[in-house]
Amino acid sequence: MTTDTPSADTGQPCAAVRRGRPRSEAAEQAIFSAAEDLLAGGTTLSELTVEGIATAAGVGKATIYRRWPNKEALLVDVVGRLEDPLPAPSGGSARDDLIAMVDYMRRRGLAKRTRWLLKAALGQMHSLPELHTAYRERVIKPRRDAGLDLIRRAMDEGVLRSDLDVDLLGDLLMGPILYRSILWDDSDLEDPELARKMVDSVIEGLAPR
């Protein structure tokens, strides 16, 4: 994949963000809206260019490069914006926050089915290795880390056994909703109680004796 950068020898990682002038909220919104409109109009992620986005947004290319070092970094933020933000910790129990996390993933699965722009963007990423890797690091990994932190809290609160591997517990708690959301396209995700049922099934089976 060709990286659309102002200089080929910058050596900057995809996820890095340059320092520069203070950001303009209006300019950023125009850039995001332009990229989303281009995607909605049928432009693929691989066809998007910084120049094309800048023209559609009515800004100069330099305005984009002050905020993102290359096209990949910009597109990670564009696609990330199409998804709902992570739920903030409730301040309640780890169980409640785990349910909120799994329900977030349930709603994300529904959004991927009903919001074709999100589905198209996520589907195209698999053919764009650099963008897919950056997206995993910038968007997916923080969500996984947040889930593992909740599992550690549940262990500390005595909700889950503390002698089990945290990563394995993460797979046991998050795997079923990912299976339904990604691999089983016609699975039932409409049930608002689904997240509670999933979390409680795991907790009841792995609670300390």
Side-chain angles (χ1 to χ4, degrees):
M1 177 176 180
T2 301
T3 301
D4 190 355
T5 59
S7 173
D9 60 355
T10 59
Q12 290 178 293
C14 178
V17 178
R18 290 181 178 177
R19 295 183 180 276
R21 301 178 186 176
R23 294 190 173 199
S24 163
E25 187 71 27
E28 286 195 0
Q29 184 58 51
I31 292 165
F32 285 133
S33 296
E36 291 170 14
D37 288 346
L38 288 168
L39 286 171
T43 305
T44 66
L45 288 175
S46 60
E47 292 170 341
L48 281 177
T49 64
V50 169
E51 182 174 15
I53 295 171
T55 299
V59 302
K61 288 170 62 176
T63 299
I64 292 180
Y65 284 126
R66 280 198 295 269
R67 293 156 173 79
W68 297 276
N70 48 43
K71 184 179 81 169
E72 287 81 6
L74 167 59
L75 293 184
V76 166
D77 285 347
V78 168
V79 179
R81 271 171 46 94
L82 298 175
E83 303 197 47
D84 292 332
L86 272 174
S90 66
S93 68
R95 171 186 171 273
D96 290 342
D97 284 342
L98 280 170
I99 291 172
M101 175 66 77
V102 174
D103 194 59
Y104 160 81
M105 296 170 72
R106 177 187 71 84
R107 289 182 283 105
R108 181 180 184 270
L110 282 172
K112 187 179 176 183
R113 293 180 188 176
T114 59
R115 296 169 59 190
W116 66 268
L117 185 56
L118 175 60
K119 182 175 183 178
L122 292 175
Q124 292 173 38
M125 277 195 179
H126 293 285
S127 62
L128 303 171
E130 292 178 32
L131 181 57
H132 187 245
T133 297
Y135 183 79
R136 285 185 60 186
E137 288 299 310
R138 290 272 306 279
V139 179
I140 301 301
K141 187 176 183 297
R143 284 158 170 74
R144 176 172 172 77
D145 289 346
L148 296 180
D149 286 343
L150 289 179
I151 289 171
R152 294 185 185 96
R153 270 184 53 202
M155 287 177 166
D156 292 340
E157 293 177 11
V159 175
L160 290 170
R161 285 168 50 189
S162 60
D163 62 324
L164 297 175
D165 181 82
V166 172
D167 287 320
L168 177 59
L169 281 177
D171 293 341
L172 290 173
L173 277 163
M174 306 301 173
I177 195 66
L178 286 173
Y179 171 76
R180 289 200 177 199
S181 301
I182 299 174
L183 298 179
W184 186 10
D185 287 340
D186 59 350
S187 64
D188 180 17
L189 293 175
E190 301 286 349
D191 183 2
E193 290 294 302
L194 182 61
R196 181 191 61 75
K197 294 172 185 176
M198 286 184 168
V199 171
D200 283 346
S201 293
V202 173
I203 287 177
E204 289 168 11
L206 296 175
R209 299 301 180 189

